[in-house]
C-alpha cells in the first residue's frame, strides 16, 4: 500500500500519517503543497508539490505510483479563502482536477480520497435537521462553493473510471491548529492572559452559532479507514464525518475559561455582533459508521483541554 498525501504539512497531515500507520501499515509517500519541502517532525521528510501545476502532479503520480491519494491540499481558513477567491478556486478546483486526471492517466487503479467539507450543504442547514449525504448542496461562501465544485467535478469523473471517495468533514480541531479557527483562537487568548501578556478580558461577538465538532484524530482515522476499506466501496462513495451533536460557541468558550488558572471576563464587541449566516450546523454520519466502521472516539471536552495545553506550550515557547 502506497499512500500519497497532498497538503501533508497542514494541521491535519501529521494526524493522518499517524492514523495510516496504525490502521493500514504500508508505505506512506508525503507531498507538501507549499514551498517548504524537506525535513518534517512527523514524517521525517516531505517533498514539494504544487497541486495547481498539472505537470508536477502528473510527475509525482507517475514516480510514486500510489495505490491511494489522500488529497488534503487546500486553503484551510475561511478568511483566507474569502480574501483571495481566485486563488481558492485555483487550489480547490484546479488542484483536485489535476490530481484526478493524473491518476486517470498515470495510475488508473489508484483510489482518490478527496477531503471536502461539511460546509458544502450551506443553506440546507437552516432546516435544523442533521445533514446527510443526500442533502442539497447549497454553499454560501467562496470556501464552501469551491469545495462543492471540486466534490461534484470528481463525482462526474467517477463515470470516466476515477475511483474516488468524497469525504465531507464537519468542524474539527486539536493541538496544532492555527488561530484562524475559533477554538484555538479562544485558547490562545486564554494562554496569553495566563502568561501576563494580555489583560484578563476576551472580546467576543455572536457566540450563539452552533457547530458539529470532532477531534482531528477522529477525522484522520476516517481517512485511514477509507483507504483500508476502499476495495469494498463503490467507486464514487460519499461520507459525512460528523458527531451528530452541535456545540454552541459560547459553551465552548465557557468550558475553556473554566480550565483557566486566572479569572477572565468576556465583553461583547459591537463590531463583531453580526448574526451567524448559518445558526446551526449538524451532520449525520451514519453511512461512515456503517460502511467504514468509523465512529468518533475522543470526547470533545478532552479535545478542548488538549488544545488549551498546546496553546499554553506555544505561548511559553514564544
Amino acid at each position: 500500500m502506497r499512500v500519497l498525501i497532498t497538503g501533508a504539512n497542514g494541521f491535519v497531515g501529521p494526524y493522518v500519517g499517524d492514523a495510516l500507520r496504525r490502521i493500514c501499515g504500508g508505505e506512506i509517500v508525503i507531498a507538501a503543497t507549499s514551498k517548504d519541502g524537506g525535513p518534517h517532525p512527523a514524517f521525517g521528510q516531505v517533498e514539494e508539490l504544487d497541486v495547481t501545476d498539472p505537470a508536477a502532479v502528473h510527475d509525482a503520480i507517475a514516480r510514486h505510483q500510489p495505490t491511494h491519494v489522500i488529497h488534503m491540499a487546500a486553503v484551510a481558513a475561511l478568511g483566507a479563502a474569502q480574501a483571495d477567491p481566485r486563488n481558492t478556486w485555483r487550489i480547490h478546483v484546479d488542484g483536485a482536477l489535476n490530481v484526478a486526471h493524473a491518476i486517470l492517466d498515470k495510475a488508473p487503479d489508484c483510489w482518490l480520497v478527496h477531503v471536502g467539507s461539511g460546509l458544502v450543504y450551506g443553506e440546507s442547514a437552516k432546516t435544523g435537521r442533521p445533514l446527510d449525504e443526500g442533502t442539497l448542496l447549497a454553499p454560501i461562501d467562496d470556501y464552501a462553493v469551491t469545495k462543492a465544485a471540486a466534490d461534484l467535478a470528481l463525482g462526474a469523473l467517477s463515470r470516466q473510471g476515477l475511483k474516488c471517495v468524497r469525504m465531507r468533514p464537519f468542524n474539527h480541531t486539536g493541538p496544532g491548529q492555527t488561530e484562524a479557527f475559533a477554538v484555538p483562537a479562544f485558547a490562545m487568548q486564554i494562554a496569553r492572559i495566563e502568561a501576563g501578556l494580555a489583560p484578563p478580558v476576551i472580546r467576543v461577538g455572536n457566540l450563539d452559532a452552533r457547530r458539529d465538532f470532532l477531534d482531528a484524530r477522529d477525522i484522520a482515522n476516517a481517512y485511514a479507514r477509507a483507504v483500508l476499506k476502499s476495495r469494498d466501496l463503490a467507486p464514487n462513495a460519499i461520507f459525512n464525518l460528523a458527531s451528530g451533536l452541535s456545540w454552541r460557541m459560547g459553551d465552548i468558550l465557557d468550558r475553556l475559561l473554566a480550565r483557566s488558572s486566572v479569572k477572565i471576563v468576556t465583553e461583547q464587541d459591537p463590531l463583531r455582533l453580526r448574526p451567524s449566516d448559518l445558526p446551526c450546523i449538524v451532520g449525520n454520519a451514519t453511512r461512515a459508521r456503517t460502511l467504514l466502521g468509523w465512529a468518533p472516539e475522543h470526547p470533545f471536552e478532552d479535545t478542548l483541554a488538549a488544545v488549551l495545553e498546546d496553546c499554553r506550550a506555544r505561548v511559553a515557547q514564544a
Side-chain angles (χ1 to χ4, degrees), residues 4 13 23 30-31 55 74-75 77 108 135 141 146 155 160 168 189-190 196-197 200 217 221 245 262 266 290 307:
L4 173 66
I23 293 172
I30 306 303
V75 180
T135 301
D141 55 44
T146 52
Q160 299 178 30
R168 296 174 182 169
Q189 290 182 75
I190 293 170
L197 301 175
R217 290 169 293 182
N221 287 346
L245 304 171
V262 299
T266 59
T290 302
V307 170

Side-chain angles (χ1 to χ4, degrees), residues 6-26:
T6 70
N9 58 338
F11 158 56
V12 181
Y15 293 104
V16 173
D18 179 65
L20 286 168
R21 295 182 189 102
R22 285 187 293 102
I23 293 172
C24 303

Side-chain angles (χ1 to χ4, degrees), residues 35-279:
K35 299 185 185 302
D36 56 358
H40 189 283
F43 295 116
Q45 192 77 14
V46 294
E47 69 176 57
E48 290 183 17
L49 177 61
D50 178 358
V51 296
T52 67
D53 181 342
V57 175
H58 271 70
D59 175 69
I61 297 297
R63 280 188 295 109
H64 294 301
Q65 286 295 301
T67 59
H68 300 78
V69 173
I70 301 179
H71 180 52
M72 298 194 298
V75 180
L78 298 182
Q82 292 293 97
D84 191 350
R86 285 182 179 273
N87 188 54
T88 304
W89 277 92
R90 196 169 59 91
I91 293 173
H92 287 178
V93 181
D94 293 346
L97 289 175
N98 287 340
V99 173
H101 285 297
I103 288 172
L104 286 171
D105 291 345
K106 302 296 183 181
D109 290 329
C110 175
W111 280 83
L112 172 59
V113 179
H114 177 258
V115 176
S117 171
L119 290 175
V120 297
Y121 299 113
E123 290 277 354
S124 294
K126 291 183 176 179
T127 64
R129 295 190 295 271
L131 306 162
D132 64 23
E133 292 84 356
T135 301
L136 176 70
L137 304 192
I140 65 171
D141 55 44
D142 289 305
Y143 177 88
V145 76
T146 52
K147 284 290 192 180
D151 188 306
L152 293 172
L154 295 175
L157 281 178
S158 70
R159 295 176 176 270
Q160 299 178 30
L162 181 68
K163 298 176 180 179
C164 186
V165 182
R166 295 147 68 188
M167 311 298 274
R168 296 174 182 169
F170 284 64
N171 290 63
H172 46 285
T173 191
Q177 194 174 36
T178 73
E179 288 182 80
F181 298 85
V183 173
F186 290 155
M188 283 298 286
Q189 290 182 75
I190 293 170
R192 291 191 182 102
I193 291 168
E194 290 176 340
L197 301 175
V201 178
I202 292 180
R203 297 180 64 79
V204 300
N206 175 27
L207 296 177
D208 289 329
R210 304 183 69 91
R211 295 292 183 264
D212 189 326
F213 272 95
L214 288 169
D215 189 292
R217 290 169 293 182
D218 288 323
I219 292 289
N221 287 346
Y223 301 162
R225 294 199 69 80
V227 169
L228 182 68
K229 298 278 190 177
S230 56
R231 291 184 180 180
D232 300 324
L233 300 176
N236 187 26
I238 304 172
F239 294 105
N240 283 347
L241 302 178
S243 71
L245 304 171
S246 65
W247 281 80
R248 179 178 169 272
M249 297 307 296
D251 293 338
I252 290 175
L253 178 56
D254 287 344
R255 278 171 167 75
L256 288 168
L257 289 171
R259 293 181 174 275
S260 175
S261 60
V262 299
K263 183 172 177 56
I264 300 173
V265 298
T266 59
E267 291 183 358
Q268 287 192 331
D269 182 349
L271 297 177
R272 304 182 188 186
L273 277 178
R274 67 176 183 84
S276 173
D277 292 325
L278 300 171

